[in-house]
Amino acid sequence: MNPCLVRGGCAGDILGRMAHKNNFCSAGAFVLGMHDALVSLTGLIVGLAVAMADRHAIILTSIIASITASLSMAASNYLAQRTNNNSHAIRDAIYTGGAYMATCVLLILPFAIFQNRTVEIVAMFGVAGIEIFTFNWFLGRTRKRPYIRKFLEMLGLCIGVSIVAFFIGLGAHVCLGIDI
């Protein structure tokens, strides 16, 4: 029996079979990439959105930050897993970097679609909320554990960092006179 699966197994359950097939013991690697992207990129985008008027500059900065951070996260997780003698270090690094990049694409997308700053930010947070909920629902379902508390914890961290970034961006805009 795969230790990742819930006590009693998930026979007949599509999500359970997916978790077993993909050995979802690497959920931690996925969470690392996804959550770091959610927290850091929403914070970066909100800070930039307050300090910058040009949405193309926000998109470009976000893309550059996303690529470099996803590579950095994948490399860091690989090194951490190798330090722990994890034989799946490469797989976990790919999960981390891939989850980071996929999350970033979803968070940047509203800025490429819409042309109203408020709509862009609200849509970005909507995407973040849906992604956080979906992941926690999937993990809770495959492991037969409650997921609402984990969803609220991840959402709260994402919002908290974004609020701090908002004030950093506002401070840069007002105190430093940065207006691009």
Side-chain angles (χ1 to χ4, degrees):
M1 176 81 149
N2 184 337
C4 296
L5 294 178
V6 184
R7 289 170 287 228
C10 300
D13 184 340
I14 293 171
L15 292 175
R17 286 194 308 267
M18 285 173 53
H20 180 71
K21 180 180 177 188
N22 295 321
N23 192 11
F24 216 67
C25 283
S26 295
F30 193 86
V31 168
L32 178 65
M34 180 190 74
H35 193 261
D36 191 64
L38 285 165
V39 170
S40 62
L41 196 64
T42 55
L44 174 71
I45 290 174
V46 167
L48 290 173
V50 172
M52 297 178 151
D54 183 12
R55 70 188 260 280
H56 293 101
I58 294 170
I59 293 170
L60 180 62
T61 304
S62 298
I63 289 171
I64 293 167
S66 298
I67 293 169
T68 57
S70 67
L71 293 172
S72 175
M73 288 296 295
S76 296
N77 194 26
Y78 171 77
L79 292 173
Q81 296 304 319
R82 291 296 294 157
T83 300
N84 291 330
N85 295 319
N86 181 349
S87 61
H88 301 291
I90 292 173
R91 180 196 62 200
D92 288 357
I94 291 169
Y95 283 174
T96 299
Y100 196 105
M101 200 63 232
T103 299
C104 290
V105 168
L106 293 173
L107 295 175
I108 295 168
L109 202 56
F111 289 84
I113 295 172
F114 304 110
Q115 295 188 14
N116 178 295
R117 187 59 42 91
T118 303
V119 173
E120 293 165 345
I121 292 172
V122 168
M124 179 192 66
F125 277 112
V127 166
I130 290 168
E131 185 172 356
I132 292 168
F133 179 83
T134 302
F135 177 77
N136 282 289
W137 174 83
F138 172 78
L139 201 57
R141 179 149 167 95
T142 57
R143 294 184 175 179
K144 304 261 192 242
R145 294 183 184 157
Y147 59 90
I148 295 297
R149 182 176 293 159
K150 296 240 183 236
F151 161 70
L152 293 173
E153 178 182 35
M154 287 179 83
L155 186 64
L157 287 168
C158 183
I159 291 170
V161 169
S162 295
I163 290 169
V164 170
F166 170 82
F167 286 111
I168 291 170
L170 185 62
H173 179 70
V174 172
C175 298
L176 301 175
I178 296 174
D179 190 20
I180 299 171

